[in-house]
Short mmCIF file of all heavy atoms in Angstrom, two decimals:
data_model
loop_
_atom_site.label_atom_id
_atom_site.label_comp_id
_atom_site.label_asym_id
_atom_site.label_seq_id
_atom_site.Cartn_x
_atom_site.Cartn_y
_atom_site.Cartn_z
N ARG M 251 96.44 71.19 114.06
CA ARG M 251 95.99 70.98 115.44
C ARG M 251 96.85 71.78 116.44
O ARG M 251 96.51 71.82 117.57
CB ARG M 251 96.12 69.50 115.75
CG ARG M 251 95.11 68.69 114.95
CD ARG M 251 95.23 67.21 115.08
NE ARG M 251 95.14 66.82 116.48
CZ ARG M 251 95.40 65.63 116.95
NH1 ARG M 251 95.74 64.65 116.11
NH2 ARG M 251 95.27 65.37 118.22
N ASP M 252 97.92 72.45 115.95
CA ASP M 252 98.78 73.22 116.82
C ASP M 252 98.01 74.41 117.36
O ASP M 252 97.19 75.06 116.57
CB ASP M 252 99.95 73.77 116.06
CG ASP M 252 100.92 74.56 116.89
OD1 ASP M 252 101.76 73.88 117.53
OD2 ASP M 252 100.81 75.78 116.91
N PRO M 253 98.09 74.78 118.63
CA PRO M 253 97.37 75.90 119.23
C PRO M 253 97.61 77.23 118.54
O PRO M 253 96.78 78.15 118.57
CB PRO M 253 97.80 75.94 120.66
CG PRO M 253 98.46 74.59 120.96
CD PRO M 253 98.86 74.08 119.62
N GLY M 254 98.75 77.37 117.85
CA GLY M 254 99.10 78.63 117.17
C GLY M 254 98.69 78.63 115.71
O GLY M 254 99.00 79.61 114.98
N SER M 255 97.94 77.68 115.21
CA SER M 255 97.60 77.57 113.81
C SER M 255 96.80 78.75 113.27
O SER M 255 97.00 79.24 112.16
CB SER M 255 96.96 76.22 113.42
OG SER M 255 95.67 76.17 114.00
N THR M 256 95.85 79.24 114.09
CA THR M 256 95.01 80.37 113.66
C THR M 256 95.89 81.63 113.52
O THR M 256 95.74 82.37 112.61
CB THR M 256 93.83 80.60 114.60
OG1 THR M 256 93.03 79.44 114.56
CG2 THR M 256 93.02 81.79 114.18
N ARG M 257 96.77 81.81 114.49
CA ARG M 257 97.67 83.00 114.42
C ARG M 257 98.58 82.85 113.15
O ARG M 257 98.80 83.87 112.46
CB ARG M 257 98.55 83.12 115.69
CG ARG M 257 97.69 83.58 116.86
CD ARG M 257 98.58 83.86 118.08
NE ARG M 257 99.25 82.73 118.60
CZ ARG M 257 98.75 81.77 119.39
NH1 ARG M 257 97.49 81.84 119.83
NH2 ARG M 257 99.52 80.75 119.82
N PHE M 258 99.06 81.68 112.87
CA PHE M 258 99.88 81.51 111.65
C PHE M 258 99.07 81.78 110.42
O PHE M 258 99.51 82.38 109.51
CB PHE M 258 100.47 80.02 111.61
CG PHE M 258 101.33 79.89 110.37
CD1 PHE M 258 102.64 80.39 110.36
CD2 PHE M 258 100.85 79.38 109.21
CE1 PHE M 258 103.43 80.33 109.17
CE2 PHE M 258 101.60 79.28 108.04
CZ PHE M 258 102.88 79.76 108.07
N ASP M 259 97.76 81.33 110.38
CA ASP M 259 96.96 81.61 109.24
C ASP M 259 96.75 83.08 109.01
O ASP M 259 96.77 83.55 107.86
CB ASP M 259 95.60 80.95 109.39
CG ASP M 259 95.65 79.43 109.29
OD1 ASP M 259 96.71 78.87 108.79
OD2 ASP M 259 94.79 78.73 109.78
N VAL M 260 96.63 83.84 110.07
CA VAL M 260 96.52 85.33 109.94
C VAL M 260 97.85 85.93 109.44
O VAL M 260 97.88 86.77 108.59
CB VAL M 260 96.03 85.99 111.25
CG1 VAL M 260 96.08 87.51 111.18
CG2 VAL M 260 94.61 85.52 111.51
N ALA M 261 98.96 85.40 109.99
CA ALA M 261 100.24 85.88 109.52
C ALA M 261 100.45 85.57 108.06
O ALA M 261 100.92 86.43 107.32
CB ALA M 261 101.37 85.23 110.39
N ASN M 262 100.07 84.42 107.65
CA ASN M 262 100.11 84.06 106.26
C ASN M 262 99.23 85.02 105.40
O ASN M 262 99.64 85.40 104.32
CB ASN M 262 99.71 82.61 105.97
CG ASN M 262 99.72 82.31 104.49
OD1 ASN M 262 100.78 82.23 103.89
ND2 ASN M 262 98.53 82.20 103.90
N GLY M 263 98.06 85.40 105.95
CA GLY M 263 97.27 86.37 105.22
C GLY M 263 97.96 87.64 104.99
O GLY M 263 97.86 88.25 103.91
N VAL M 264 98.71 88.12 105.95
CA VAL M 264 99.51 89.39 105.84
C VAL M 264 100.54 89.21 104.72
O VAL M 264 100.68 90.06 103.88
CB VAL M 264 100.14 89.79 107.15
CG1 VAL M 264 101.14 90.92 106.95
CG2 VAL M 264 99.06 90.17 108.18
N LEU M 265 101.24 88.13 104.70
CA LEU M 265 102.35 87.91 103.78
C LEU M 265 101.85 87.59 102.36
O LEU M 265 102.34 88.22 101.35
CB LEU M 265 103.24 86.81 104.25
CG LEU M 265 104.47 86.48 103.37
CD1 LEU M 265 105.40 87.67 103.28
CD2 LEU M 265 105.24 85.28 103.96
N GLY M 266 100.94 86.68 102.22
CA GLY M 266 100.50 86.29 100.87
C GLY M 266 99.15 85.65 100.73
O GLY M 266 98.85 85.18 99.61
N GLY M 267 98.34 85.69 101.72
CA GLY M 267 97.06 85.02 101.66
C GLY M 267 95.92 85.76 101.09
O GLY M 267 94.80 85.31 101.10
N ASP M 268 96.18 86.93 100.57
CA ASP M 268 95.18 87.79 100.06
C ASP M 268 95.71 88.63 98.88
O ASP M 268 96.92 88.85 98.84
CB ASP M 268 94.60 88.72 101.15
CG ASP M 268 93.59 89.70 100.71
OD1 ASP M 268 92.51 89.23 100.24
OD2 ASP M 268 93.75 90.89 100.78
N PHE M 269 94.86 89.14 98.04
CA PHE M 269 95.27 89.97 96.90
C PHE M 269 96.12 91.16 97.38
O PHE M 269 97.10 91.52 96.74
CB PHE M 269 94.08 90.44 96.10
CG PHE M 269 94.53 91.28 94.92
CD1 PHE M 269 94.86 90.68 93.71
CD2 PHE M 269 94.63 92.65 94.93
CE1 PHE M 269 95.24 91.38 92.57
CE2 PHE M 269 95.02 93.42 93.87
CZ PHE M 269 95.30 92.79 92.65
N THR M 270 95.71 91.76 98.48
CA THR M 270 96.44 92.95 98.96
C THR M 270 97.60 92.61 99.90
O THR M 270 98.13 93.51 100.60
CB THR M 270 95.46 93.95 99.71
OG1 THR M 270 94.80 93.20 100.73
CG2 THR M 270 94.44 94.47 98.66
N ALA M 271 97.98 91.35 100.03
CA ALA M 271 99.05 90.94 100.87
C ALA M 271 100.43 91.39 100.31
O ALA M 271 100.49 91.77 99.12
CB ALA M 271 99.05 89.43 101.04
N ARG M 272 101.43 91.31 101.08
CA ARG M 272 102.73 91.86 100.75
C ARG M 272 103.34 91.28 99.46
O ARG M 272 103.85 92.06 98.64
CB ARG M 272 103.68 91.65 101.87
CG ARG M 272 103.38 92.47 103.09
CD ARG M 272 104.32 92.18 104.24
NE ARG M 272 103.92 92.94 105.42
CZ ARG M 272 104.68 93.11 106.49
NH1 ARG M 272 105.87 92.44 106.54
NH2 ARG M 272 104.27 93.83 107.51
N LEU M 273 103.31 89.99 99.26
CA LEU M 273 103.93 89.38 98.10
C LEU M 273 103.28 89.87 96.81
O LEU M 273 103.98 90.26 95.85
CB LEU M 273 103.88 87.84 98.14
CG LEU M 273 104.79 87.20 99.15
CD1 LEU M 273 104.40 85.67 99.30
CD2 LEU M 273 106.25 87.40 98.84
N ASN M 274 102.01 89.92 96.80
CA ASN M 274 101.30 90.32 95.58
C ASN M 274 101.47 91.84 95.33
O ASN M 274 101.66 92.29 94.19
CB ASN M 274 99.77 89.99 95.65
CG ASN M 274 99.15 90.05 94.26
OD1 ASN M 274 99.61 89.36 93.37
ND2 ASN M 274 98.08 90.85 94.17
N MET M 275 101.42 92.63 96.41
CA MET M 275 101.61 94.09 96.28
C MET M 275 102.95 94.37 95.70
O MET M 275 103.14 95.33 94.89
CB MET M 275 101.38 94.78 97.60
CG MET M 275 99.95 94.81 98.06
SD MET M 275 98.84 95.85 97.06
CE MET M 275 98.11 94.62 96.00
N ASN M 276 103.97 93.64 96.12
CA ASN M 276 105.32 93.88 95.67
C ASN M 276 105.49 93.43 94.23
O ASN M 276 105.80 94.25 93.32
CB ASN M 276 106.33 93.13 96.57
CG ASN M 276 107.80 93.34 96.18
OD1 ASN M 276 108.12 93.67 95.04
ND2 ASN M 276 108.64 93.13 97.13
N LEU M 277 105.27 92.13 93.97
CA LEU M 277 105.57 91.58 92.60
C LEU M 277 104.56 91.95 91.55
O LEU M 277 104.97 92.11 90.39
CB LEU M 277 105.71 90.06 92.74
CG LEU M 277 106.82 89.51 93.55
CD1 LEU M 277 106.82 88.03 93.62
CD2 LEU M 277 108.19 89.99 93.08
N ARG M 278 103.32 92.10 91.85
CA ARG M 278 102.34 92.49 90.86
C ARG M 278 102.09 94.01 90.81
O ARG M 278 102.23 94.60 89.75
CB ARG M 278 100.97 91.80 91.17
CG ARG M 278 99.87 92.17 90.21
CD ARG M 278 98.54 91.64 90.62
NE ARG M 278 97.47 92.34 89.89
CZ ARG M 278 96.78 91.76 88.94
NH1 ARG M 278 96.99 90.54 88.58
NH2 ARG M 278 95.78 92.47 88.33
N GLU M 279 101.77 94.55 91.88
CA GLU M 279 101.26 95.95 91.87
C GLU M 279 102.40 96.99 91.79
O GLU M 279 102.28 98.00 91.08
CB GLU M 279 100.42 96.26 93.08
CG GLU M 279 99.14 95.39 93.10
CD GLU M 279 98.22 95.63 91.94
OE1 GLU M 279 97.85 96.79 91.65
OE2 GLU M 279 97.94 94.65 91.26
#
């Protein structure tokens, strides 16, 4: 319900919320 939750969700996408996100690119790829 926080007004910044959508921005956090996008930030999470950059870090680890998608196959091409930073965590997966580092540890897997």
Side-chain angles (χ1 to χ4, degrees):
R251 294 174 56 188
D252 184 84
S255 68
T256 299
R257 288 187 298 277
F258 182 81
D259 290 342
V260 173
N262 178 69
V264 169
L265 181 62
D268 178 62
F269 182 86
T270 58
R272 293 178 181 190
L273 289 171
N274 197 56
M275 289 292 98
N276 181 338
L277 296 177
R278 176 189 165 107
E279 298 300 305

